[in-house]
Amino acid sequence: MKILQKVLDDCKKRNPNEPEFHQAVTEVLESLEPVAEKHPEWVEAGIFDRIVEPERQIMFRVAWIDDNNKVQVNRGYRVQFNSAIGPYKGGLRFHPSVNLGIIKFLGFEQILKNSLTGLPIGGAKGGSDFDPKGKSDAEVMRFCQSFMTELYRHIGEDTDVPAGDIGVGGREIGYLYGQYKRIRNNFTGVLTGKGIPWGGSLARKEATGYGLCYFMDAAMKDAGSSFDGKTVIVSGSGNVAIYAAEKATELGGKVVAMSDSNGYVYDKNGIDLDLVKQLKEVERKRIKEYVNVHKDAEYKEGCKGIWTIPCDIALPCATQNEIDEGSAKILVANGCKAVGEGANMPSTPEAIAVYQENGLLFGPAKAANAGGVATSALEMCQNSMRYAWTFEEVDAKLKQIMVDIYHNASKAAEAYGHKGDLVMGANIAGFEKVAQSMYDQGIAY
Ligand code: NDP
Ligand code: 2IT
């Protein structure tokens, strides 16, 4: 890197102790060096320096009372990263590992991902170090109400529209929405992923996982391949994982393993998804319970071991940096031909290098998992119209969006002399629109 090295150095210096944020920014700036060469006017206007600095970062105390009448304190975050092409948009993550650096890496990725969808949404992310696991519904509700009692003043249907992410699903969005409406006396599309009877979009729940498979299907078709007859591994067993497994199966693949943060199940007969849905969506239990029903399936402690199972296609759908160099090498040695990222930044830079050196088809997160936020934008659109499309209508739009993202990323990579490099293609295709918009709008932020 020549032109952008200083941007990266300054960013790291200004944001110490945020390794995930550094990782996300490094990958993007490395991809954008040829764009900086082609657009000296963007360098001159400080577009690169500005895009790595959030427009606004909000941190707040969230106090709530647990079932034993004890006061608990968590920290809430909302990082409004970039509003060049639309209102801030991105999920909320509730997980004990959440800190500012993680929210910033997610918010930064979200800028380019949201641009790739072709829809008018800026980039943001938020959340808390609150752990919903093991909490009663009443505790989760009190936490969400307290969280929203601060957050409401920073968001709005044309300002910032949060949604779900790890630890935030339909239940949490419901409690958050109820509190927002109560405070504002206002029924608007301020959150997405809402329940279907109260303004949610059909197919939003399925969208990230389905979209991942639509993206990989388009990419594999271009390479003369498909899901049909392939062995697939899906890590995680949350929202993204379940619907990635469902669509991969529908497209002819056989999903043989899924996981949670404790361990993984291997079912050589193909994962019983109805059981996984029952365990995870309804009963909120651990994946190890799977083997109580399917006695011939195996459960192993430790989630990393899932990558040692031979597969043709790997779909990491749990969390960041879940595939390291060692796991990537094992995947390759076992004959894996394609990796599609449902989670955000699930592969370390060293793992990505292994995929690329070995010619794997690699669908990077900000392109491959954009179907969730794209469908959130479709939910916003329906809310604005006060109208609702059918499942089939939303699903058809989602599919078209994912095919378009694949082709746009693929074309951008080729245009810059890196045919087949979807990491570079996605970063460039997502960035160009945001950069031009920031340039047109002057030194606004
Ligand atoms: P969920 O909370 O529904 O599920 C998360 C899954 O990942 C669970 O199975 C969880 O296991 C596992 N997991 C979480 N943290 C870890 C960890 N540190 N190590 C191993 N496993 C872990 O979240 P989602 O399915 O919504 O999100 C999964 C990924 O997809 C995240 O990276 C998220 O950012 C990304 N994503 C989500 C979108 C969405 O629309 N929801 C859109 C685009 C990307 P356990 O139950 O044990 O914690
Ligand atoms: O990472 C993501 O794209 C999400 N968690 C979805 C965000 C959204 O606003 O739907």
Side-chain angles (χ1 to χ4, degrees):
M1 257 199 304
K2 285 193 190 125
I3 307 171
L4 299 180
Q5 188 62 48
K6 186 169 179 327
V7 177
L8 179 59
D9 293 343
D10 289 349
C11 176
K12 286 184 175 171
K13 209 186 297 167
R14 180 180 277 162
N15 303 282
N17 307 316
E18 295 180 358
E20 293 86 1
F21 182 51
H22 298 176
Q23 184 181 334
V25 170
T26 303
E27 181 208 282
V28 169
L29 291 180
E30 281 173 354
S31 294
L32 295 181
E33 182 72 17
V35 181
E37 271 169 37
K38 192 174 154 198
H39 289 281
E41 76 284 11
W42 289 352
V43 177
E44 187 66 24
I47 301 293
F48 299 91
D49 309 84
R50 285 194 276 149
I51 203 168
V52 298
E53 179 70 14
E55 290 174 10
R56 194 173 294 108
Q57 309 185 51
I58 301 146
M59 284 170 65
F60 50 98
R61 179 173 66 207
V62 187
W64 56 283
I65 297 181
D66 71 16
D67 287 347
N68 299 318
N69 280 326
K70 262 194 74 189
V71 177
Q72 299 288 340
V73 179
N74 287 98
R75 187 173 291 173
Y77 301 87
R78 187 69 180 168
V79 174
Q80 298 177 330
F81 225 117
N82 194 293
S83 62
I85 64 168
Y88 305 109
K89 182 86 197 85
L92 297 170
R93 177 177 291 192
F94 292 170
H95 193 273
S97 65
V98 162
N99 58 43
L100 185 60
I102 287 182
I103 298 299
K104 276 164 70 180
F105 115 66
L106 290 162
F108 180 69
E109 294 272 297
Q110 202 83 43
I111 305 169
L112 304 182
K113 180 197 304 194
N114 292 5
S115 167
L116 283 169
T117 66
L119 298 165
I121 38 179
K125 202 83 187 191
S128 175
D129 57 1
F130 173 74
D131 187 359
K133 232 176 272 165
K135 304 286 191 302
S136 68
D137 286 352
E139 288 178 319
V140 171
M141 182 173 75
R142 287 195 294 273
F143 173 80
C144 288
Q145 290 176 339
S146 181
F147 184 87
M148 185 54 87
T149 302
E150 171 61 31
L151 187 68
Y152 86 93
R153 68 187 84 246
H154 307 290
I155 62 176
E157 58 176 345
D158 295 318
T159 305
D160 183 356
V161 182
D165 192 80
I166 291 177
V168 178
R171 176 183 61 172
E172 290 75 16
I173 293 292
Y175 297 149
L176 291 163
Y177 192 74
Q179 184 71 353
Y180 180 86
K181 185 160 57 68
R182 180 185 184 191
I183 296 172
R184 280 272 162 105
N185 193 21
N186 190 332
F187 196 109
T188 59
V190 69
L191 297 171
T192 58
K194 298 186 291 300
I196 305 304
W198 41 279
S201 175
L202 288 162
R204 173 61 187 90
K205 184 174 71 173
E206 294 82 357
T208 312
Y210 278 22
L212 169 65
C213 293
Y214 294 147
F215 180 94
M216 293 305 287
D217 186 53
M220 287 193 286
K221 277 201 179 120
D222 225 10
S225 175
S226 75
F227 273 98
D228 199 29
K230 302 293 193 310
T231 300
V232 184
I233 287 180
V234 179
S235 66
S237 47
N239 173 259
V240 179
I242 287 175
Y243 294 95
E246 183 166 283
K247 187 54 74 176
T249 308
E250 245 178 77
L251 294 173
K254 184 174 170 186
V255 178
V256 296
M258 293 183 79
S259 60
D260 60 22
S261 55
N262 293 107
Y264 66 95
V265 285
Y266 171 55
D267 188 340
K268 61 178 185 322
N269 302 317
I271 289 282
D272 173 354
L273 256 187
D274 288 338
L275 175 59
V276 175
K277 283 186 193 175
Q278 177 65 27
L279 289 174
K280 292 304 218 178
E281 293 185 334
V282 182
E283 299 173 20
R284 298 183 187 275
K285 285 194 173 147
R286 311 306 301 161
I287 198 78
K288 79 169 168 213
E289 308 269 343
Y290 185 96
V291 297
N292 295 341
V293 177
H294 290 285
K295 308 274 184 215
D296 47 349
E298 295 168 43
Y299 174 76
K300 294 230 168 76
E301 284 290 330
C303 41
K304 219 176 130 183
I306 195 170
W307 308 118
T308 64
I309 299 168
C311 68
D312 303 302
I313 302 167
L315 303 177
C317 295
T319 194
Q320 63 272 2
N321 292 327
E322 55 171 311
I323 305 185
D324 59 12
E325 184 178 18
S327 294
K329 283 184 174 161
I330 297 170
L331 281 170
V332 170
N334 283 337
C336 177
K337 295 283 183 291
V339 177
E341 296 187 321
N344 284 307
M345 208 168 76
S347 309
T348 65
E350 296 78 20
I352 295 174
V354 172
Y355 310 148
Q356 290 178 332
E357 281 156 19
N358 289 279
L360 268 66
L361 196 170
F362 175 53
K366 64 175 77 67
N369 75 26
V373 76
T375 307
S376 278
L378 298 176
E379 184 170 323
M380 290 164 70
C381 186
Q382 293 168 82
N383 292 164
S384 301
M385 292 189 293
R386 302 194 187 284
Y387 188 70
W389 291 317
T390 63
F391 188 96
E392 289 69 27
E393 285 173 303
V394 180
D395 189 40
K397 289 182 204 302
L398 166 65
K399 189 169 186 179
Q400 189 59 52
I401 289 168
M402 298 315 295
V403 171
D404 290 347
I405 293 175
Y406 168 67
H407 288 294
N408 290 339
S410 186
K411 268 188 246 156
E414 202 170 343
Y416 280 87
H418 290 260
K419 193 169 188 289
D421 183 345
L422 294 176
V423 173
M424 203 158 178
N427 286 333
I428 293 174
F431 174 76
E432 285 189 325
K433 212 170 78 179
V434 177
Q436 188 60 50
S437 305
M438 289 173 74
Y439 187 77
D440 292 347
Q441 292 169 26
I443 318 291
Y445 278 103

